[in-house]
């Protein structure tokens, strides 16, 4: 998956959605939640501490974020000032007496909100990759404010009048293709935000957007807190039969972190299938892991998301209808390459018959393997991964665990991911240690062209943490833009289990493929060559975002 740029006001609503994943907050930090009551008031610029690192662009190479200076207390003041500054910039656009044109309306709109973009980019990246209690509190407070701020711009009648005036004369402006796309996207974003609705409908829409932002934030926090709370506690080493010594040591260390001496803890990933299911011999433990994994968010308790999901679905449906769409799917897909729910249904329907046929064949193979061992039980979900490995071993003399020593993480990165990129595109990577990072495990690389010129900066955050969102994603800290005179600073985030101290990081083949996949997103950001930040890097239709990544993951085997 890919984080999208927060560079313009149009991406603020996406920033809130990404906070669901992108999608991540934690209860693991010892940092106490701050009292933000004072910061919640409109910011007094004169009283702002001058040391807030967001108030000016970073002076580090390529405006790389000042992780060494950024503190949690900097976020709210920067958000407040960033929103104020952007509203002032919007007022300057609408207050002009000159007739609207591309240069005096669309370009300054594109330039607006740079402080807000700086703080939002870092904040939502940290809320997904390195959260704590205070960040969760800030996220809860700021998300509805950002939604209201976005609405205040997209539902600004005077601003929309100017944008529409430029849009209506677009064919006579002689714009280049990129500028025309920016203009059309601006106009469409206003329409999809409700600019053509009446005042009553717009007020309804604002209330919905605010509530959806609050629900999104709560959902994402529940996901991460829930996965931490659902970690599987095991009483004896014997129950872990099938795991490697390193994996058992990892379970021991995870128990120690939770102050559970003599126990073993198997953390859960955010997927329904868990890696340990393919190796654990203890069927009862496999069942407990699978059922716990599937029950997250819907089994009651503090982190249950069922009411949140139901309410979110209802509000999305109501919002779509107010905007003139049959349903939320139609609203979302209009702006994607698939375009319509019908197109999606046709593609999925074509897959159903062969998928069922393949699944039934696999079930028969796995059930036969179970019976060949002299046991008599019906294949269940928690048996699938375990017996699939047995079938592969029998049929192909293949044991995936034997591959892992060949997939040491740095070897995969340097001699796999980077090597392929060098051979295909001629770019090179040099690790640097002088730039600050938000976690000691984060690595930083200069990316240079064949002629030695710098293309960008790449960050890699490889390991799973209890305060990090599950899954894998890419985001940019600085998007490429000729208008802003910026070069890309992009990051990949993975969730590889960190080995015990002194042990090498040995990856599964799935993790290898994921590293190549996410680097495809990074290449998408690094190779961006556009004028306008709104169109930079992965700011393309959401389903097209996955094209470069899926192409790049082919090099894992080729």
């Amino acid at each position: 998956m890919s984080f999208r740029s927060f560079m313009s006001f149009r991406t603020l609503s996406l920033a809130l959605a990404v906070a669901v994943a992108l999608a991540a907050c934690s209860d693991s930090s010892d940092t106490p939640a701050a009292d933000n009551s004072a910061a919640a008031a409109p910011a007094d610029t004169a009283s702002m501490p001058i040391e807030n690192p967001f108030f000016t662009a970073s002076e580090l190479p390529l405006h790389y974020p000042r992780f060494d200076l950024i503190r949690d207390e900097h976020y709210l003041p920067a958000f407040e000032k960033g929103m104020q500054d952007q509203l002032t910039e919007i007022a300057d656009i609408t207050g002009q007496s000159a007739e609207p044109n591309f240069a005096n309306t669309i370009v300054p709109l594109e330039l607006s909100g740079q402080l807000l973009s700086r703080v939002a980019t870092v904040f939502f990246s940290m809320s997904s990759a390195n959260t704590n209690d205070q960040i969760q509190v800030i996220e809860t407070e700021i998300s509805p404010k950002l939604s209201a701020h976005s609405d205040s711009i997209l539902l600004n009648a005077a601003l929309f009048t100017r944008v529409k005036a430029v849009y209506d004369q677009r064919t006579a402006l002689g714009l280049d293709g990129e500028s025309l796309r920016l203009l059309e996207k601006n106009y469409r974003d206003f329409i999809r935000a409700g600019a053509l609705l009446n005042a009553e409908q717009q007020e309804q829409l604002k209330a919905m957007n605010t509530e959806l932002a609050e629900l999104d934030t709560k959902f994402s926090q529940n996901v991460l807190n829930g996965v931490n709370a659902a970690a599987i506690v095991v009483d004896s080493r014997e129950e872990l039969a099938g795991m490697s010594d390193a994996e058992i040591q990892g379970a021991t260390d995870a128990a120690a972190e939770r102050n559970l001496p003599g126990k073993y803890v198997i953390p859960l990933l955010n997927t329904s299938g868990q890696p340990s299911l393919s190796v654990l011999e203890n069927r009862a433990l496999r069942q407990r892991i699978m059922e716990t994994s599937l029950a997250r968010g819907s089994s009651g308790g503090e982190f249950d998301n069922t009411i949140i999901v139901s309410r979110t679905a209802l509000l999305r449906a109501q919002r779509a209808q107010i905007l003139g769409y049959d349903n939320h799917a139609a609203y979302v897909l209009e702006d994607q390459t698939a375009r319509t729910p019908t197109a999606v249904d046709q593609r999925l329907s074509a897959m159903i018959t062969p998928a069922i046929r393949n699944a039934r064949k696999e079930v028969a193979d796995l059930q036969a393997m179970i019976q060949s061992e002299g046991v008599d039980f019906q294949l269940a979900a928690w048996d699938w991964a375990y017996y699939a490995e047995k079938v592969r071993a029998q049929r192909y003399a293949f044991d995936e665990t034997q591959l892992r020593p060949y997939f040491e993480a740095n070897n995969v990165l340097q001699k796999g991911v980077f090597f392929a990129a060098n051979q295909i595109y001629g770019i090179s990577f040099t690790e640097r240690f002088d730039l600050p990072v938000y976690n000691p495990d984060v690595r930083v690389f200069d990316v240079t062209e064949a002629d030695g010129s710098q293309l960008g900066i790449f960050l890699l955050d490889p390991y799973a943490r209890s305060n990090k969102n599950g899954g894998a994603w890419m985001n940019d800290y600085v998007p490429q833009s000729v208008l802003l005179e910026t070069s890309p600073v992009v990051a990949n985030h993975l969730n590889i289990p960190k080995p015990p101290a002194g042990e090498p990081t040995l990856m599964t083949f799935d993790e290898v493929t994921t590293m190549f996949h996410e680097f495809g997103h990074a290449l998408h950001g690094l190779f961006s060559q556009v004028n306008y930040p709104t169109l930079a890097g992965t700011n393309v239709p959401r389903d097209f975002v996955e094209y470069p990544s899926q192409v790049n993951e082919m090099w894992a085997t080729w």
Side-chain angles (χ1 to χ4, degrees):
M1 64 181 296
S2 170
F3 259 150
R4 308 283 285 278
S5 169
F6 299 106
M7 181 52 67
S8 71
F9 77 87
R10 286 169 296 281
T11 63
L12 286 175
S13 58
L14 179 57
L16 301 177
V18 164
V20 175
L22 322 53
C25 303
S26 172
D27 58 355
S28 63
S29 172
D30 293 328
T31 304
D35 178 3
N36 294 309
S37 56
D44 178 0
T45 304
S47 65
M48 292 290 182
I50 60 172
E51 67 272 12
N52 192 311
F54 291 115
F55 289 171
T56 58
S58 169
E59 72 281 9
L60 295 177
L62 307 191
H63 304 302
Y64 181 97
R66 292 304 305 259
F67 293 118
D68 55 332
L69 301 180
I70 295 169
R71 302 290 180 265
D72 291 344
E73 57 266 26
H74 293 141
Y75 289 122
L76 272 176
F79 270 121
E80 296 288 355
K81 185 174 188 301
M83 288 187 284
Q84 284 187 359
D85 287 357
Q86 188 169 30
L87 292 179
T88 299
E89 293 159 352
I90 297 302
D92 289 341
I93 297 172
T94 59
Q96 299 176 85
S97 58
E99 290 296 312
N101 58 44
F102 189 87
N104 68 19
T105 300
I106 306 303
V107 172
L109 182 58
E110 187 70 0
L111 289 169
S112 71
Q114 293 186 44
L115 167 56
L116 186 56
S117 295
R118 283 197 297 272
V119 61
T121 297
V122 173
F123 177 79
F124 284 107
S125 295
M126 293 303 98
S127 74
S128 293
N130 201 51
T131 193
N132 59 44
D133 291 345
Q134 189 169 358
I135 286 178
Q136 285 193 345
V137 170
I138 296 170
E139 187 177 26
T140 299
E141 178 175 347
I142 202 62
S143 293
K145 290 184 178 182
L146 288 174
S147 175
H149 175 72
S150 179
D151 284 340
S152 73
I153 297 173
L154 289 166
L155 299 179
N156 183 318
L159 180 61
F160 176 62
T161 297
R162 293 189 66 90
V163 171
K164 185 178 184 302
V166 182
Y167 176 81
D168 287 343
Q169 56 180 320
R170 63 191 182 282
T171 57
L173 297 178
L175 297 175
D176 62 85
E178 185 186 343
S179 297
L180 179 60
R181 174 162 173 75
L182 177 68
L183 174 58
E184 292 174 340
K185 185 178 186 330
N186 269 275
Y187 179 75
R188 186 172 64 250
D189 286 348
F190 276 88
I191 299 299
R192 286 170 55 80
L196 295 180
L197 300 179
N198 60 42
E200 181 182 356
Q201 291 172 319
Q202 288 186 354
E203 289 304 312
Q204 291 176 329
L205 202 63
K206 290 177 183 178
M208 288 179 181
N209 290 338
T210 296
E211 186 177 354
L212 282 168
E214 295 170 341
L215 291 169
D216 284 349
T217 298
K218 184 60 177 175
F219 178 92
S220 72
Q221 293 181 357
N222 282 348
V223 167
L224 183 60
N225 294 336
V227 76
N228 287 329
I232 305 299
V233 180
V234 179
D235 294 328
S236 68
R237 184 185 178 98
E238 287 72 26
E239 294 177 84
L240 302 180
M243 279 188 167
S244 67
D245 290 341
E247 289 169 333
I248 293 175
Q249 184 60 52
T252 303
D253 294 342
E257 291 175 1
R258 291 166 170 79
N259 196 27
L260 296 171
K263 304 288 187 179
Y264 305 85
V265 168
I266 303 175
L268 298 183
L269 301 184
N270 70 333
T271 50
S272 55
Q274 302 297 323
S276 56
L277 294 175
S278 66
V279 298
L280 285 170
E281 299 174 8
N282 187 311
R283 188 171 190 245
L285 179 56
R286 294 201 307 268
Q287 179 177 355
R288 182 153 65 100
I289 292 171
M290 174 63 82
E291 290 180 341
T292 302
S293 177
L294 294 177
R296 284 174 293 159
S298 60
S299 57
E302 182 181 0
F303 307 123
D304 190 286
N305 268 330
T306 52
I307 294 177
I308 293 175
V309 169
S310 298
R311 181 63 179 167
T312 297
L314 176 62
L315 288 172
R316 285 176 171 179
Q318 292 175 342
R319 182 178 63 181
Q321 291 174 355
I322 288 177
L323 290 168
Y325 297 87
D326 290 337
N327 48 53
H328 178 67
Y331 171 72
V332 171
L333 288 168
E334 180 192 51
D335 201 32
Q336 309 302 326
T337 56
R339 301 304 296 270
T340 66
T342 300
V344 174
D345 289 342
Q346 289 174 344
R347 175 59 57 89
L348 293 178
S349 297
M351 299 169 60
I352 290 175
T353 299
I356 291 176
R357 182 173 59 246
N358 289 343
R360 285 174 174 166
K361 184 179 185 304
E362 289 184 23
V363 167
D365 292 341
L366 298 178
Q367 190 66 53
M369 174 58 69
I370 292 172
Q371 292 171 345
S372 72
E373 294 187 340
V375 291
D376 186 20
F377 57 81
Q378 284 298 115
L379 177 75
W382 46 87
D383 301 315
W384 196 290
Y386 180 73
Y387 282 97
E389 289 301 319
K390 285 181 171 287
V391 170
R392 274 193 286 267
Q394 180 189 71
R395 186 171 297 173
Y396 307 111
F398 173 77
D399 180 358
E400 186 176 35
T401 62
Q402 294 178 357
L403 283 179
R404 295 186 66 181
Y406 298 93
F407 293 145
E408 189 276 324
N410 189 62
N411 196 51
V412 172
L413 179 68
Q414 299 282 359
K415 297 183 179 180
V417 173
F418 288 171
F419 174 80
N422 175 264
Q423 294 296 297
I424 301 166
Y425 307 112
I427 57 177
S428 300
F429 304 83
T430 304
E431 189 162 10
R432 59 188 303 172
F433 304 93
D434 58 321
L435 293 177
V437 292
Y438 55 86
N439 183 281
D441 291 329
V442 176
R443 302 174 66 180
V444 183
F445 299 85
D446 277 335
V447 186
T448 53
E449 298 274 22
D451 62 4
S453 60
Q454 186 162 18
L455 177 64
I457 292 176
F458 171 69
L459 295 84
L460 177 66
D461 183 352
Y463 293 122
R465 294 186 295 273
S466 60
N467 68 338
K468 183 180 184 182
N469 211 28
W473 68 92
M474 168 268 185
N475 68 281
D476 55 19
Y477 285 104
V478 181
Q480 177 273 332
S481 168
V482 174
L483 180 66
L484 299 178
E485 299 182 343
T486 55
S487 296
V489 177
V490 304
N492 278 172
H493 307 264
L494 309 176
N495 265 276
I496 303 169
K498 189 173 182 178
E503 294 284 336
T505 302
L506 304 182
M507 301 169 65
T508 66
F509 185 66
D510 282 346
E511 290 166 344
V512 172
T513 303
T514 298
M515 182 178 280
F516 274 85
H517 177 101
E518 293 306 325
F519 194 71
H521 291 307
L523 290 172
H524 196 169
L526 288 167
F527 288 151
S528 178
Q529 293 183 350
V530 300
N531 290 312
Y532 308 112
T534 290
L535 304 178
T538 57
N539 286 327
V540 295
R542 184 65 186 85
D543 38 359
F544 183 78
V545 166
E546 298 304 322
Y547 174 74
S549 57
Q550 294 197 34
V551 169
N552 198 68
E553 75 178 54
M554 295 178 182
W555 299 109
T557 50
W558 290 6

